Amino acid sequence: MKNKAILGALSMDLKRVALGYHRGSNLMAERFFEEALKRRDEIDLTDLKPYLLKCLKKIENIKNQQNDKAADDALLYSTIFQNAAV
């Protein structure tokens, strides 16, 4: 149950990252990206499905991408984690 709340918060942080990059507000996107990484570290990895573990590992790749690709990937992962939290 605790993981669902954290996954929901992670989803919202990633959605804000996507909005920040899309709007051209890189400072906002980077701030929420740091928050997303903190949320990721709070998750108990023992009861997660394998596809969620893969997605959690790929979050860090967002930082090294162009803004458009980073926004797309952040939105994609946001949707995946939002669905997992429901």
Side-chain angles (χ1 to χ4, degrees), residues 25-49:
S25 178
N26 293 348
L27 183 61
M28 179 185 114
E30 290 170 8
R31 183 171 296 142
F32 280 110
F33 182 72
E34 294 300 321
E35 289 296 319
L37 291 179
K38 288 179 188 176
R39 298 270 189 222
R40 181 191 65 177
D41 294 338
E42 296 174 5
I43 295 175
D44 180 20
L45 302 176
T46 56
D47 1 331
L48 284 184
K49 295 181 179 181

Side-chain angles (χ1 to χ4, degrees), residues 26-84:
N26 293 348
L27 183 61
M28 179 185 114
E30 290 170 8
R31 183 171 296 142
F32 280 110
F33 182 72
E34 294 300 321
E35 289 296 319
L37 291 179
K38 288 179 188 176
R39 298 270 189 222
R40 181 191 65 177
D41 294 338
E42 296 174 5
I43 295 175
D44 180 20
L45 302 176
T46 56
D47 1 331
L48 284 184
K49 295 181 179 181
Y51 79 95
L52 290 174
L53 289 173
K54 287 181 185 178
C55 291
L56 285 172
K57 290 177 184 175
K58 292 181 180 181
I59 287 177
E60 285 193 36
N61 295 340
I62 292 172
K63 184 74 171 167
N64 302 324
Q65 297 173 342
Q66 297 290 336
N67 289 355
D68 291 338
K69 176 72 170 143
D72 289 344
D73 285 353
L75 188 60
L76 170 76
Y77 293 132
S78 172
T79 304
I80 290 171
F81 295 132
Q82 182 180 11
N83 289 339

Side-chain angles (χ1 to χ4, degrees), residues 7-23:
L7 284 172
L10 175 62
S11 171
M12 289 305 298
D13 287 338
L14 289 172
K15 191 171 286 191
R16 290 180 183 114
V17 169
L19 287 172
Y21 280 130
H22 181 70
R23 292 178 182 163

